[in-house]
Every structure is written in C-alpha cells, then in structure tokens.
Amino acid sequence: MTPRKVRVFSGIQPSGMLQLGNYLGAIQQWVAGQGEKINFICIVDLHTITVPQEPAVLRRQTRELAALLIACGIDPQQTTLFVQSHVRAHAECCWLLNCVTPLGWLERMTQYKTKAARQESVLTGLLDYPVLQAADILLYDTDEVPVGEDQKQHIELTRDIAQRFNGIYGETFVIPRPVIRESGARIMGLNDPTAKMSKSDPTRGHAIRLTDSPDEIRWAFKRAVTDAGREIRFSDDPARAGVNNLLQIYELLSGLSRPAIEAHFEGKGYGALKSEVAEIVIEALRPIREGFERLMQEPAELDRILAIGADQARAVAEPKLVQVKERMGFVLPT
Ligand code: TYM
C-alpha cells in the first residue's frame, strides 16, 4: 500500500492588508511546502466577523487577500485555495464540535482574553472562534498546520477537541500537529520589539504591509527600535529583541545561515543593518506588490480560482461531515 500523502491545512483572516509577520511566519512556509504534500489554504471570513466588520470592507479585503496570496506564490494548481464561507461544512461542523467542547476550555484561551478585554461588548462568536478553527482543520484529516507561534494554543485546543470526540464516538479525526518555524515564529513590531507585529496596529512604523512602497519601508526600518549596544548577533536576550528581529527578517529573506549573516555584519553598525534589511525587504516585496496589482485588475479570474478551490474543498469536507454526523447518531437524509 502506498503511504497516505501528508495533508497540510492553514487559514488566514481577511481582516486587513497582510504584514511581514504573516508572510514570514506563515505564507512563506506554505509556499515552500507546495508540491510534495496535499495543501489547503483557507481565507477565514467567518472568523473575521467575530469582531464587527463593515460589509463592503470585508468583501474587498477577501478578494484582496486571495490576490495577495497568489502574488506571494500560492499556486492554485498545487494548493486548494478557498474562502471558508463557500464551504458550509465549516459552520455546521463547528456546531457539532461545540457540543463536545467544555466552556472552560474556551474561557482559558489567551487570544480570547486579550481580544475580549479590548471590546465593550463581547460577541459569542469571539469565544467560539477556536471551535470554528478546530472544525476547519479537522474536516480535512489534517496532519500539519503551519502557523506562527500565536496560533499554537488554538492548535493544541484542536487536538484536545479531536481526542475528546474520538474518545466519545470512536476514531474519527486525525490529530493534527502545529508546524512552527524557529525563525519567523514571532516577528515583532519595528517600533516596539516586545509586541508581535500585527495587521490591526495602525501606528506608522509598527508593521510593514506587503504592499508598502519602498520609501515607506525605508522610513519604517530607519526608525526601528534597537538597543544601546553595538554587536550584531542573534540572541534570545529580551533586551536585544529589536536587533534579533531585524536579523531574523534578514535570515528568512536572504536564505543565509546565521554564522554567515553574523560574519557579514561584523564590524558594521546598526544603521547599516537597518538599511540592508530594508533593501532586502523591498526586493522581496517588489514582485508581490506587482503581482497583486495585476491580479486585482482581473476580478473574474480571481472569482473563478476561488470557485474551483471551493469545489475541491467541498469534495473533502462534505463526506467528512457526513461521517461525523453518522458517528453522533443523526439520521442522514436519503
Ligand atoms: P491570522 O490571520 O491572524 O494570521 C495568519 C498567519 O500569520 C501568522 N502571523 C505571524 N507569524 C509570525 N509573526 C507575526 N507577527 C505574525 N502575525 C501573524 C499567524 O500565526 C497565522 O499563522 N486564527 C488564525 C486563522 C485560522 C487558522 C485556521 C489557522 C482560522 N482557521 C486553521 C490555521 C488553521 C488567525 O487569526 O491567523
């Protein structure tokens, strides 16, 4: 018997223009892994509405995200790229999993606690967010979930939900594992290396958006927070987080080893480091920005790609959902 091909699933929210952390923590690994495994990448619009959204903005951002992912190198011939709300099984499976998930597991999630603290009125969907994420992953018999460090707790919860379901109803779900890179797991804000780079922080100079102009990128790196030292070395010391963050960005975009990078910067100052990192980022993002602008001129082509992706995703998710409902004792329609 030929061994089963490894299945990879990951998701990303259409909640604003992507930033360098999304690219280096997640998308770059999705692109690199194409070909040898079975890949699913999902634009998770149902997750995005767990905080209030303007309908016209959500619609625009969903198409922009599809264009940007393709411009980053996601190849719809090799990866099933689709929009979550196009595949109804996700919402339905979420409900089924809600009914095996203890409330206490959700109340403990750190992302929920942080996001809820920022809202005046917390929506039920925000608490339930990780169960929908579990449904996403489990419907595809996923083995690997390539993500940034901030998603680790959600993947662990997914494993707990799957194990609990399997314990109650018998072996149904594959238990997935998170795949988190050592470098790039947590790209930090340029203006504050103690905070994760995030698309929701609007402060100028915090994040590099994938469509930023070269001048904007140079501006942000020039002002990147470093420290009072001089040495340009990789380090776990929190006091040196700014320099370490710049070095990780350089590492992931140059493909060079850490010793080669340290040798390259030997004797140079932080000013040189910042300007070299800015230039390597500008060169890496140039084809992405150009590809994005080209694809945004072809909305019908984008919609066609997403329709094919949704068909491919449904072909996997729907039979899985039937199996789950059968295990739980539902009478299936004939
Ligand atoms: P989202 O949209 O916030 O982020 C998408 C991916 O980008 C990674 N990421 C980062 N990595 C390193 N450094 C950063 N500063 C940084 N910022 C973001 C995230 O870790 C993520 O991998 N809940 C998910 C979406 C989701 C999902 C899923 C993921 C829904 N269903 C199923 C995996 C599997 C989220 O909000 O990602």
Side-chain angles (χ1 to χ4, degrees):
M1 214 174 76
T2 47
R4 179 177 162 279
K5 267 199 173 181
V6 174
R7 288 183 176 224
V8 180
F9 184 101
S10 204
I12 184 159
Q13 293 197 58
S15 55
M17 186 40 76
L18 295 189
Q19 39 81 15
L20 199 57
N22 297 122
Y23 181 66
L24 298 177
I27 302 168
Q28 207 190 33
Q29 1 177 21
W30 303 344
V31 171
Q34 289 183 124
E36 74 230 52
K37 301 174 182 174
I38 300 180
N39 297 287
F40 297 90
I41 298 298
C42 183
I43 297 174
V44 294
D45 52 354
L46 298 174
H47 277 106
T48 302
I49 60 164
T50 55
V51 292
Q53 300 293 326
E54 192 65 50
V57 175
L58 178 63
R59 199 167 293 125
R60 174 172 54 75
Q61 287 178 347
T62 302
R63 288 212 176 87
E64 281 181 354
L65 179 53
L68 203 53
L69 289 170
I70 297 169
C72 284
I74 296 292
D75 173 5
Q77 306 285 342
Q78 299 191 70
T79 293
T80 297
L81 173 66
F82 70 104
V83 176
Q84 188 184 34
S85 64
H86 292 181
V87 182
R88 291 184 180 178
H90 290 243
E92 193 173 343
C93 185
C94 173
W95 178 256
L96 303 178
L97 297 179
N98 276 336
C99 300
V100 298
T101 307
L103 185 59
W105 289 6
L106 302 181
E107 286 168 338
R108 277 201 296 275
M109 292 290 109
T110 50
Q111 280 212 349
Y112 167 71
K113 288 194 276 189
T114 321
K115 283 191 187 170
R118 282 194 228 126
Q119 314 277 318
E120 237 169 68
S121 149
V122 178
L123 302 175
T124 308
L126 191 64
L127 178 67
D128 203 26
Y129 180 115
V131 183
L132 179 59
Q133 184 160 347
D136 297 341
I137 297 168
L138 298 176
L139 277 171
Y140 296 85
D141 287 339
T142 302
D143 301 291
E144 296 180 355
V145 190
V147 283
E149 165 87 15
D150 62 341
Q151 295 301 315
K152 195 166 170 218
Q153 198 186 31
H154 286 167
I155 315 301
E156 276 160 7
L157 182 84
T158 300
R159 293 166 61 90
D160 290 343
I161 293 174
Q163 268 152 356
R164 191 177 165 103
F165 189 101
N166 289 353
I168 302 171
Y169 296 109
E171 280 310 304
T172 307
F173 292 125
V174 172
I175 310 299
R177 60 180 178 277
V179 178
I180 300 171
R181 294 168 131 186
E182 196 197 333
S183 268
R186 203 172 159 77
I187 297 294
M188 308 310 275
L190 299 184
N191 62 341
D192 175 6
T194 64
K196 184 191 75 165
M197 189 182 283
S198 155
K199 48 180 152 32
S200 57
D201 186 332
T203 316
R204 189 172 179 215
H206 165 78
I208 299 293
R209 286 180 304 264
L210 299 193
T211 51
D212 278 348
S213 68
D215 283 346
E216 190 64 28
I217 296 173
R218 282 190 198 104
W219 189 93
F221 277 104
K222 207 170 253 172
R223 282 156 191 81
V225 171
T226 49
D227 55 61
R230 308 178 57 100
E231 243 195 321
I232 301 183
R233 294 207 164 274
F234 288 89
S235 132
D236 293 334
D237 180 353
R240 316 220 48 217
V243 168
N244 196 53
N245 193 40
L246 295 174
L247 284 171
Q248 286 200 16
I249 294 171
Y250 191 86
E251 179 187 9
L252 291 161
L253 293 176
S254 69
L256 295 173
S257 70
R258 291 187 170 195
I261 293 170
E262 288 175 351
H264 172 78
F265 285 110
E266 181 83 57
K268 295 189 184 169
Y270 287 171
L273 172 68
K274 290 181 187 181
S275 76
E276 286 202 39
V277 178
E279 293 312 312
I280 206 166
V281 169
I282 289 167
E283 285 320 307
L285 297 189
R286 192 188 304 282
I288 295 177
R289 199 180 63 235
E290 289 169 1
F292 169 72
E293 280 161 10
R294 211 170 35 245
L295 282 157
M296 286 306 288
Q297 308 295 319
E298 303 172 30
E301 173 62 7
L302 272 182
D303 287 350
R304 193 187 67 85
I305 291 171
L306 294 175
I308 295 172
D311 279 343
Q312 290 169 346
R314 271 185 225 112
V316 179
E318 282 177 1
K320 189 73 198 180
L321 184 68
V322 169
Q323 186 196 7
V324 174
K325 290 172 82 173
E326 198 165 34
R327 292 277 154 86
M328 294 182 89
F330 289 93
V331 174
L332 299 174
T334 48

